[in-house]
Amino acid sequence: MPGFNLLLQVCLAYVAVLFAVAFWAERRARAGRVGWLRSPLIYTLSLSIYCTGWTFYGAVGYAARSGLEYLCIYLGPTLVMVGWWVLLRKLVRVARTQRITSVADLISSRYGKSALLGGLVTLLAVVGTTPYIALQLQSVTLSFSVFAGSAEDVWPAPNLHATAIWLAVGMTAFTILFGTRNLDANERHHGVVTAIALEALVKLAALLAVGVFVVWGAGGGLGAMAERINASPIAAAPTDGSRWLALTFLSGAALLCLPRMFQVLVVENSDERHLITASWAFPLYLALMSLFVVPIAVVGLEILPASANPDLFVVTLPMALGQDWLALLAFLGGFSSATSMVIVATIALSTMVSNHVVLPLWLRLRPEGATVSGDVREVVLTSRRLSIAALIGLGYLYYRFSGGGAALAAIGLISFVGVVQVLPAMLGGLFWRGATRVGAGCGVGLGFLLWLYTLFLPSFGPDVVFSARMMAEGPWGIALLRPHALFGLDALDPVVHAVLWSMVLNTAAFVTGSLVSFPTPLERLQGAQIVNVFDYTASRRGWSQSSVEAEDLLITAQRILGAAEAQSLFRAEARAQGKVGYLPEITPDFIDRFERRLAGSVGAATAHAMTGQMISGTAVSVADLMAVADETAQIKEYSTQLEQKSRELARTARQLRDANEKLTALSVQKDAFLSQISHELRTPMTSIRAFSEILMSADDLSSADKTRYSRIIQDEAMRLTRLLDALLDLNVLEHGKVTIAPERALLRDVIDRAVLATSAVNAAGAFTIDRVESAEGVEIHTDLDRLAQVFINLIANARKYCDAPRPRLRIRVTRLDGRLAVDFIDNGHGIPVDSQALIFEKFSRLSDQSAAGGAGLGLAICREIMAKLGGSVTYLPGQGGAGFRVILPDAQAASAA
Amino acid sequence: MPDQRDKPLFLARQGYRQRRVIDAAWVLPVFGAFLLLVPVLWDLGPSGSDAPRRLAERGVYIFGVWALLVGGAALLGRRLRDVASPPADEAGAPQGDAHRPDPAAAPDDGPV
Amino acid sequence: MGHHVLLIEDEPNIMEAIRFFLSRDGWRVSCHSDGATAMAEIGRVRPDVVVLDVMLPNRSGFDVLRDLRADPDHGALPVLMLTAKGQAKDRSRAEGLGASDFMTKPFSNAEVRDKLRALVGRVD
């Protein structure tokens, strides 16, 4: 039997090795040789802190009591890991881009860097984790007691408490030494992680060694073992479906929400691709850890006396079989499980406590703010160290005063249910833009209260917090409110009951709160960035209008990040801007980066508050407002000052956007115009080139063909000329100075001229022109040639395009508000409504074959001419055909006849 | 047919495969959850609440599913390594519903 | 027996020119001035190659090309596209839709002939 002294020596030696490994890894990392310290293997092994002392010892006890149900605790995480693509990938990406330091920081950051929410989650985590730390102390002390009880040395009971105290002190020292080396909680704790990876191997090896020994040494091989399992009393316990479901969910959720798991899984992750390895390697690790649990439980129940505690079978079974060294190895495995959990959990919690409780309070209590005196760095480090000591101390106190009575597994599950209350806010925050701070606060708060009421407080036993009577009959005798049978659900297991009610009501409160509340602009920005993390590359900035000096920022940064790091940050930024020295231009971009860097040290909410104190500008920039501009109106809910500013900025933004749109439209128009010109010029040129090649290459052409083809060439050449004339004409009208030569004449004469000039157009077809000559006897005073050009165009168009079987054009002169109007209305199909706005644009020729001769410039020219003359030409809809109204210039129209 | 037409087809095929690998990454946990929740049904119903159960065989079932998931995740992981974009550089969201970030968010716009 | 070209071109003069120099070289040429009638006739005509103008009345040459590529019987026909706009984006659009070759107007007759020969040769 290993005596107490031997045990102590082994323990000390093991701890010394851990310290040495951690030191070595830190030195190596500091020297820049990170290498395999950052390998996917180390990452996967560090995840093994999921398997705590509870798992190591308690799983066997659990199996002895409830059969295979203990497996749920591993199956949940297995599913989450295997489905890493769905959830973990996003979580890790968000944490990296936002420099998240903990669960509390994630929640706070997502919901608008809310300090209050961060504090709430921290409180929840501390209350949920303290019993868990107590549990680890208990498991190690219990395993010590096994050796004490069997050793010859006298080892009085008080020594057990001394063991617990020494254990607590040792872990505190290790954690402070390696856990608070770097202020930047986002930096990897290489020493801690490497030591944990080593511990992961030790506990796996220990459990596998005991298992192999039990199956093949004591159990008689696989076949015999299977028979013993089926014959064992464990096999009699039925599987409880509701617990199976609830525990699988719970453990999967816990993998995401437990502060220590978030630390190793997300915060310590140095490369997203490590997740790929961990997605199968970690489930494999879990499977190996649980593989021999049932055999150990079965053989333990067979061999050991009925009074033996199944929670300690892992140690007592090898001992009873005379394998002292195996027992010692198993003890070390349990020791590893417990210590690694405590170390990481306290690092994670201390970061949360210092960033979300101590620093916000400290900032508030110092009215002069962050810029004036006081080394923030020292405050953060001290608060973190004190938190570590306090947390382990709390765990110790809990252990001492709870008396260690409850079965190990029970505390573990209670703790799980507590931390899992963060889940709805976390998942909602990752996937739902509509999740708000109010919703998250309601959900987490209500879940926390329900957990306290239905599970945590009753777990102290009857008459400690809740009286036995109250548990049985409900508070004030209201049966519906019995803590274990809320609203009458009394048939459920307490854990399932608590999971059900807390998760359902938590989620309901979260969703309802989010639906009825309205997020702040910062919340919406963060929400958009986090939910769409895969779409965003650059961050959107949160600060603008800085009146802060670079030097002030540098001073603050030095206080928080340390002089060397702050200076290198500033120098790098200055260099990137092309400046020499340490003081870069304070751009919003830089401030944003600066804030993020601070966030890595002190959490998002605190960093935001500190940066905000230094920068006396608006909290929202134009870019931010543009991002939420679709609901600009609702931003009015905020303080009047912000309202005014945002309106002003939104107006500026809108003007900018309008200007931009106009420029874009212009450039599009120009492109389209050039492309049209190209088409109109190239089309006749194509015919000309093709036919001239034909004429040149062919000797055997008939003279008729030769004439025909030459005519085509001539026609097309004339078409080109016409097109160029029209273009030039239009150009002159649009830009140049057109000389207008007004003359007096009768309107009738001008129309006569136009009708005559168009008689050659489409002369083959019968075409009737219907005029009322008496009304045309009006004297006008304008540029008659130009006006005639407009009329010719309109009449020619009617002759070309009127598709009625008996085409007919009505020309009517009317007087509108003292001005003369000439309407040209044919009896064809007219112009479709959606094209009516376009026909006056250049090259807007409606796709119609007979239009091939024209270039689509005619109406554009008409419009320009009429504008120059002081009149107008418009399309006249609703005339049963194509109708155009020419309104003649005002002053020049004078009645004569 | 002309070779211009083969090329996009080939690219499309690769993109298609990648998308299906991503589908598989979504389906695997669902599939696993279904298989691992089968124990919920084992002892449903009133019959034989105290009869000894084939605990060993049940254990073999769960560990079998477990092994399947580990293998599946390992296989998928190898295919997904190419799809999962590296963290630092541009986030090419491979789901295909990505809209590009606002190009106006270029650095140094200065205070407005 | 010469190869059969289906020509879709709305400019009568250009249509005439292409028809002339192709048939002189022994090609059979079926002409259509819009996509709809061409697509309706394609099953009867059974061409070996299609010459398609981009600027067509009603439906553009791109639309016609898309319809053609979706056609189970004639989807694989080589198509030479012609455009007078001379813009790079037209070319890339045509390639994206599966045009086999692309020419900008005005073209040389010999070049059209060579391209068509190459396209038809590829099918054989």
Side-chain angles (χ1 to χ4, degrees):
Chain A
M1 285 283 161
F4 176 64
N5 283 333
L6 176 62
L7 193 66
L8 210 58
Q9 281 163 20
V10 170
C11 250
L12 286 178
Y14 182 66
V15 169
V17 169
L18 288 183
F19 270 79
V21 166
F23 259 122
W24 172 78
E26 281 288 341
R27 273 185 57 181
R28 209 181 140 91
R30 192 147 302 183
R33 288 175 298 147
V34 193
W36 58 266
L37 293 182
R38 255 189 212 170
S39 67
L41 180 71
I42 297 280
Y43 176 69
T44 306
L45 285 176
S46 74
L47 299 186
S48 74
I49 56 153
Y50 181 75
C51 307
T52 63
W54 164 35
T55 313
F56 193 85
Y57 295 117
V60 174
Y62 199 151
R65 282 183 287 269
S66 324
L68 291 177
E69 195 177 284
Y70 76 97
L71 285 172
C72 295
I73 303 301
Y74 305 94
L75 294 180
T78 295
L79 288 175
V80 173
M81 288 307 294
V82 163
W84 67 281
W85 182 269
V86 178
L87 225 164
L88 281 174
R89 192 173 71 102
K90 190 163 195 180
L91 193 60
V92 168
R93 175 69 65 86
V94 166
R96 291 176 64 82
T97 49
Q98 300 280 328
R99 305 207 83 184
I100 298 295
T101 59
S102 63
V103 189
D105 198 25
L106 174 73
I107 300 293
S108 144
S109 179
R110 162 62 179 84
Y111 296 106
K113 312 195 180 178
S114 155
L116 201 66
L117 212 46
L120 179 63
V121 176
T122 304
L123 176 71
L124 175 70
V126 169
V127 176
T129 310
T130 308
Y132 218 113
I133 293 174
L135 177 61
Q136 307 307 315
L137 291 174
Q138 184 185 350
S139 69
V140 175
T141 353
L142 267 181
S143 61
F144 255 106
S145 73
V146 171
F147 288 88
S150 58
E152 286 88 18
D153 324 335
V154 184
W155 193 9
N159 276 8
L160 268 185
H161 297 314
T163 318
I165 289 180
W166 280 114
L167 190 65
V169 170
M171 287 194 285
T172 310
F174 184 91
T175 313
I176 290 179
L177 200 54
F178 295 104
T180 59
R181 225 150 222 241
N182 316 310
L183 177 66
D184 191 344
N186 219 288
E187 255 170 39
R188 316 282 157 332
H189 299 95
H190 291 291
V192 174
V193 168
T194 314
I196 290 170
L198 177 69
E199 292 197 293
L201 290 175
V202 171
K203 62 196 190 198
L204 181 63
L207 208 54
L208 286 181
V210 174
V212 168
F213 170 74
V214 165
V215 172
W216 281 277
L222 281 180
M225 196 64 234
E227 278 169 31
R228 291 172 86 158
I229 290 174
N230 284 338
S232 125
I234 297 178
T239 310
D240 179 339
S242 68
R243 269 180 73 89
W244 188 280
L245 207 62
L247 294 186
T248 308
F249 164 79
L250 196 57
S251 59
L255 186 79
L256 302 166
C257 300
L258 280 171
R260 66 171 195 279
M261 288 318 294
F262 193 89
Q263 179 78 25
V264 284
L265 195 62
V266 179
V267 180
E268 302 278 350
N269 176 293
S270 59
D271 184 341
E272 270 176 42
R273 281 166 297 193
H274 289 175
L275 269 180
I276 300 178
T277 307
S279 74
W280 60 268
F282 184 58
L284 182 63
Y285 184 95
L286 292 178
L288 292 176
M289 281 297 279
S290 43
L291 192 54
F292 292 114
V293 166
V294 168
I296 294 173
V298 166
V299 175
L301 285 177
E302 268 181 43
I303 294 180
L304 295 171
S307 64
N309 182 356
D311 282 336
L312 291 171
F313 279 177
V314 181
V315 180
T316 50
L317 190 58
M319 213 181 251
L321 295 168
Q323 302 290 327
D324 287 349
W325 287 103
L326 198 55
L328 197 60
L329 181 62
F331 167 79
L332 278 185
F335 182 78
S336 297
S337 312
T339 50
S340 55
M341 177 269 161
V342 173
I343 289 165
V344 179
T346 48
I347 289 178
L349 282 178
S350 72
T351 307
M352 283 158 76
V353 169
S354 85
N355 287 359
H356 298 284
V357 178
V358 178
L359 267 186
L361 288 180
W362 185 80
L363 277 177
R364 183 156 300 181
L365 293 179
R366 298 172 66 94
E368 70 271 39
T371 40
V372 193
S373 77
D375 192 343
V376 185
R377 190 182 160 76
E378 208 46 54
V379 174
V380 174
L381 281 182
T382 312
S383 76
R384 228 170 257 180
R385 285 172 185 150
L386 287 178
S387 320
I388 290 173
L391 285 164
I392 297 183
L394 264 181
Y396 175 77
L397 287 179
Y398 187 95
Y399 158 69
R400 285 285 277 125
F401 292 107
S402 67
L408 289 182
I411 302 183
L413 282 182
I414 291 168
S415 178
F416 269 27
V417 182
V419 294
V420 155
Q421 298 308 321
V422 180
L423 188 74
M426 181 194 267
L427 292 189
L430 283 180
F431 292 98
W432 183 32
R433 291 261 308 257
T436 70
R437 176 187 304 186
V438 174
C442 291
V444 174
L446 183 63
F448 183 43
L449 291 178
L450 278 168
W451 170 66
L452 287 179
Y453 185 72
T454 58
L455 202 58
F456 187 65
L457 296 180
S459 78
F460 291 99
D463 293 326
V464 179
V465 183
F466 291 160
S467 67
R469 195 163 149 232
M470 184 229 162
M471 290 297 293
E473 296 167 14
W476 308 289
I478 306 171
L480 279 183
L481 295 182
R482 275 174 296 164
H484 278 169
L486 216 51
F487 307 124
L489 286 187
D490 50 7
L492 288 178
D493 172 88
V495 173
V496 178
H497 172 264
V499 169
L500 181 74
W501 279 122
S502 66
M503 288 321 284
V504 166
L505 295 179
N506 177 337
T507 310
F510 167 63
V511 172
T512 314
S514 297
L515 290 179
V516 300
S517 61
F518 194 81
T520 63
L522 188 57
E523 243 180 294
R524 296 176 57 187
L525 277 179
Q526 288 292 98
Q529 274 195 22
I530 285 176
V531 173
N532 302 330
V533 67
F534 293 112
D535 303 345
Y536 278 83
T537 53
S539 59
R540 285 181 182 278
R541 60 197 62 88
W543 301 111
S544 65
Q545 295 201 332
S546 55
S547 60
V548 69
E549 293 292 323
E551 204 170 346
D552 299 336
L553 287 181
L554 180 60
I555 291 167
T556 310
Q558 283 178 338
R559 291 212 181 98
I560 295 172
L561 304 171
E565 207 182 329
Q567 283 160 13
S568 81
L569 169 72
F570 275 63
R571 186 154 57 174
E573 184 68 28
R575 197 175 302 146
Q577 294 178 0
K579 293 178 75 175
V580 190
Y582 291 94
L583 298 178
E585 213 57 63
I586 302 300
T587 60
D589 209 41
F590 172 60
I591 296 175
D592 195 50
R593 231 179 337 252
F594 172 83
E595 188 192 317
R596 257 162 219 253
R597 193 64 173 265
L598 291 195
S601 294
V602 295
T606 309
H608 195 68
M610 284 176 137
T611 317
Q613 275 184 345
M614 283 182 286
I615 295 163
S616 50
T618 56
V620 183
S621 71
V622 177
D624 301 341
L625 282 173
M626 300 259 294
V628 289
D630 41 332
E631 285 162 301
T632 315
Q634 285 166 302
I635 293 177
K636 285 177 193 155
E637 287 174 26
Y638 303 108
S639 69
T640 38
Q641 200 189 357
L642 183 63
E643 185 189 343
Q644 260 179 349
K645 254 176 195 157
S646 76
R647 258 199 226 131
E648 217 168 273
L649 291 172
R651 202 178 310 124
T652 319
R654 209 176 308 123
Q655 283 167 353
L656 277 173
R657 229 174 328 165
D658 289 351
N660 188 42
E661 266 165 23
K662 253 178 222 155
L663 281 174
T664 319
L666 272 179
S667 125
V668 168
Q669 266 176 19
K670 203 180 123 212
D671 278 0
F673 182 68
L674 283 177
S675 148
Q676 273 295 350
I677 293 215
S678 163
H679 179 261
E680 297 300 338
L681 291 173
R682 280 169 192 266
T683 300
M685 275 159 63
T686 308
S687 301
I688 294 173
R689 179 165 176 191
F691 280 110
S692 36
E693 279 183 23
I694 289 172
L695 286 175
M696 280 188 292
S697 65
D699 314 319
D700 52 343
L701 277 179
S702 68
S703 68
D705 276 347
K706 272 187 192 159
T707 315
R708 203 156 70 82
Y709 294 159
S710 307
R711 171 145 313 215
I712 290 178
I713 292 178
Q714 193 196 11
D715 286 349
E716 294 287 350
M718 280 167 66
R719 177 173 161 193
L720 264 180
T721 316
R722 275 201 309 277
L723 173 70
L724 286 173
D725 285 344
L727 269 176
L728 289 173
D729 199 12
L730 190 63
N731 194 45
V732 167
L733 284 165
E734 273 182 345
H735 305 290
K737 291 212 188 312
V738 190
T739 42
I740 300 211
E743 288 170 81
R744 284 191 186 278
L746 284 181
L747 179 57
R748 189 192 303 136
D749 296 341
V750 183
I751 297 177
D752 282 346
R753 215 171 112 190
V755 171
L756 192 67
T758 50
S759 58
V761 179
N762 207 0
F767 192 80
T768 322
I769 293 183
D770 167 15
R771 297 168 57 179
V772 183
E773 305 222 358
S774 58
E776 292 171 2
V778 192
E779 188 175 77
I780 53 170
H781 182 244
T782 186
D783 188 320
L784 300 177
D785 288 344
R786 285 296 186 182
L787 186 63
Q789 192 184 345
V790 172
F791 290 173
I792 289 169
N793 219 303
L794 293 176
I795 298 170
N797 274 351
R799 293 192 79 122
K800 273 190 243 169
Y801 304 130
C802 183
D803 51 359
R806 301 172 71 186
R808 174 190 182 86
L809 178 70
R810 280 183 296 145
I811 301 179
R812 291 285 181 274
V813 179
T814 49
R815 202 170 275 279
L816 290 169
D817 305 330
R819 296 180 66 170
L820 277 176
V822 187
D823 295 345
F824 297 82
I825 300 160
D826 68 25
N827 60 346
H829 270 96
I831 295 183
V833 178
D834 49 350
S835 305
Q836 290 171 5
L838 293 174
I839 47 176
F840 291 103
E841 300 300 329
K842 280 167 282 203
F843 298 117
S844 64
R845 187 180 74 205
L846 303 175
S847 46
D848 186 303
Q849 248 183 308
S850 55
L857 290 173
L859 286 173
I861 291 175
C862 291
R863 187 179 59 172
E864 291 299 325
I865 291 175
M866 289 316 296
K868 281 282 177 302
L869 295 182
S872 66
V873 52
T874 48
Y875 187 75
L876 197 60
Q879 303 299 317
F884 290 88
R885 168 166 289 172
V886 178
I887 296 183
L888 296 181
D890 188 14
Q892 286 84 352
S895 176
Chain B
M1 259 313 287
D3 41 15
Q4 288 108 312
R5 295 230 303 147
D6 295 346
K7 213 169 172 186
L9 204 66
F10 175 66
L11 282 173
R13 185 173 299 144
Q14 201 164 30
Y16 181 86
R17 275 271 65 86
Q18 271 185 355
R19 226 161 277 175
R20 295 297 82 78
V21 169
I22 291 170
D23 289 350
W26 280 81
V27 166
L28 187 66
V30 177
F31 169 76
F34 175 75
L35 289 178
L36 290 178
L37 290 179
V38 166
V40 171
L41 309 172
W42 276 344
D43 294 314
L44 277 188
S47 62
S49 57
D50 278 335
R53 287 156 182 87
R54 312 291 298 170
L55 198 62
E57 284 78 356
R58 290 179 172 190
V60 169
Y61 167 76
I62 292 185
F63 281 99
V65 172
W66 213 328
L68 220 63
L69 288 179
V70 168
L75 273 178
L76 274 181
R78 274 178 33 195
R79 306 287 304 264
L80 283 172
R81 196 172 291 271
D82 308 327
V83 188
S85 50
D89 54 33
E90 69 159 338
Q95 288 95 329
D97 55 354
H99 42 85
R100 290 276 135 201
D102 183 5
D108 292 350
D109 307 9
V112 184
Chain C
M1 188 72 211
H3 287 292
H4 200 153
V5 185
L6 178 67
L7 171 62
I8 311 174
E9 163 65 76
D10 64 324
E11 280 287 332
N13 289 341
I14 298 178
M15 185 199 275
E16 165 95 31
I18 296 178
R19 192 217 316 254
F20 179 86
F21 70 75
L22 283 182
S23 30
R24 195 179 50 185
D25 285 3
W27 297 68
R28 282 188 296 141
V29 186
S30 303
C31 297
H32 291 279
S33 59
D34 70 307
T37 55
M39 285 301 285
E41 289 288 287
I42 197 165
R44 195 182 55 76
V45 171
R46 306 213 143 272
D48 301 304
V49 63
V50 177
V51 177
L52 178 58
D53 185 29
V54 171
M55 282 284 281
L56 289 174
N58 303 324
R59 311 200 62 214
S60 82
F62 294 129
D63 297 333
V64 175
L65 178 60
R66 198 179 297 118
D67 290 353
L68 181 70
R69 286 298 179 229
D71 187 307
D73 296 329
H74 309 286
L77 273 176
V79 174
L80 170 64
M81 286 209 91
L82 303 176
T83 179
K85 286 197 181 172
Q87 283 194 330
K89 68 176 184 206
D90 281 354
R91 171 179 283 264
S92 58
R93 186 161 171 214
E95 275 166 4
L97 286 171
S100 318
D101 213 330
F102 187 91
M103 288 187 77
T104 309
K105 295 177 184 174
F107 44 75
S108 111
N109 299 349
E111 209 181 327
V112 172
R113 206 166 40 220
D114 292 347
K115 288 213 183 223
L116 287 180
R117 272 197 196 127
L119 287 177
V120 170
R122 248 192 271 179
V123 170
D124 289 342

